[in-house]
């Protein structure tokens, strides 16, 4: 299965995915391209060091739809079958999502449906919850809303700060995202309503 990965920053989840593809933890998959909306994204350099093709496609004043159309075109040119969002900080347009129906997944640093949107770790910390975590989910036309593939619970410790909590969640993100992608690339699942069933 050909994967396309979208990033906006350091690309730590992208790098974890790349290493898992290399060592066979994610079987029967290859990363066709890593695309960033930010030319300065450090993750692009990390992908290049792995020998992965990269593209920077900045918005440059275009509408979301125009920008997304170029990204979709580049993904389609490379035969991408599945899109992984890995720290991609822009909402996708409806046209993008409809171009890859049930073929886009994301990892979010909370136990959805709690704490959607930006700074989810700080949202959870400030709210005072005792447990939070991370969620791998399909992407639909609503923010952090699609069917849930996998979740991991992370305890909020008494001496945590928002930063230490974020770091511990990120460690679990890498493992959970890889496990979820490995299941998806095996094509042994179905989406029924909001539930993802594996068989």
């Amino acid at each position: 299965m050909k994967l396309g990965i979208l990033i906006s920053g350091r690309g730590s989840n992208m790098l974890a995915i790349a290493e898992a593809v290399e060592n066979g933890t994610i079987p029967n998959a290859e990363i066709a391209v890593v695309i960033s909306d930010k030319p300065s994204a450090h993750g692009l350099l990390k992908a290049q060091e792995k020998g992965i093709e990269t593209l920077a496609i900045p918005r440059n004043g275009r509408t979301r739809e125009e920008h997304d159309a170029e990204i979709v075109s580049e993904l389609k040119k490379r035969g991408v079958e599945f899109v992984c969002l890995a720290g991609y900080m822009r909402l996708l347009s409806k046209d993008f999502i409809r171009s890859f129906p049930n073929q886009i997944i994301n990892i979010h640093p909370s136990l959805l449906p709690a704490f959607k949107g930006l700074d989810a770790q700080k949202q959870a910390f400030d709210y005072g919850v005792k447990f939070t975590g991370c969620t791998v989910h399909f992407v639909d036309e609503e923010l952090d809303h699609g069917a849930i593939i996998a979740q991991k619970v992370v305890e909020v410790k008494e001496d945590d700060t928002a930063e230490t909590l974020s770091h511990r969640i990120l460690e679990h993100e890498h493992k959970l995202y890889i496990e979820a992608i490995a299941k998806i690339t095996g094509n042994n699942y179905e989406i029924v309503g909001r539930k993802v069933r594996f068989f």
Side-chain angles (χ1 to χ4, degrees):
M1 181 177 286
K2 288 191 174 183
L3 306 177
I5 303 179
L6 304 190
I7 65 170
S8 290
R10 63 183 184 267
S12 66
N13 270 309
M14 176 276 299
L15 191 60
I17 294 167
E19 290 173 351
V21 169
E22 276 183 4
N23 65 31
T25 305
I26 298 175
N28 306 314
E30 65 174 297
I31 301 173
V33 66
V34 172
I35 297 176
S36 178
D37 59 321
K38 298 183 182 301
S40 60
H42 190 59
L44 291 175
L45 294 175
K46 292 180 180 177
Q48 290 163 13
E49 289 169 0
K50 288 281 187 186
I52 300 168
E53 183 185 7
T54 63
L55 289 173
I57 303 178
R59 183 171 174 181
N60 289 341
R62 294 177 290 176
T63 66
R64 187 184 312 277
E65 289 73 18
E66 290 168 339
H67 182 233
D68 280 3
E70 183 177 352
I71 296 174
V72 167
S73 174
E74 296 296 341
L75 292 169
K76 295 283 190 184
K77 279 181 192 175
R78 290 158 180 81
V80 167
E81 300 164 84
F82 227 92
V83 180
C84 303
L85 306 185
Y88 188 65
M89 302 308 292
R90 285 181 55 78
L91 288 173
L92 300 181
S93 65
K94 292 180 179 180
D95 289 342
F96 192 129
I97 292 164
R98 290 169 185 172
S99 296
F100 290 94
N102 293 326
Q103 296 167 287
I104 308 170
I105 58 175
N106 182 46
I107 187 154
H108 182 76
S110 78
L111 294 175
L112 292 175
F115 309 117
K116 297 180 179 182
L118 295 174
D119 298 322
Q121 308 95 321
K122 187 174 186 302
Q123 289 183 57
F125 180 80
D126 290 347
Y127 200 88
V129 297
K130 302 301 183 186
F131 296 92
T132 183
C134 47
T135 303
V136 182
H137 64 97
F138 282 98
V139 175
D140 64 13
E141 294 179 14
E142 296 183 45
L143 175 66
D144 297 329
H145 176 267
I148 289 171
I149 300 165
Q151 291 184 303
K152 176 67 178 180
V153 175
V154 177
E155 182 179 4
V156 183
K157 297 180 179 178
E158 289 297 324
D159 60 349
D160 261 331
T161 63
E163 290 73 26
T164 60
L165 178 61
S166 295
H167 181 74
R168 285 208 327 286
I169 291 172
L170 183 62
E171 291 176 351
H172 288 289
E173 283 183 42
H174 294 164
K175 184 178 180 187
L176 189 71
Y177 211 2
I178 288 164
E179 290 173 354
I181 294 169
K183 288 181 177 179
I184 295 299
T185 56
N187 282 317
N188 58 341
Y189 70 94
E190 62 179 352
I191 303 172
V192 182
R194 289 198 44 79
K195 295 186 183 298
V196 181
R197 295 178 179 167
F198 293 95
F199 46 82

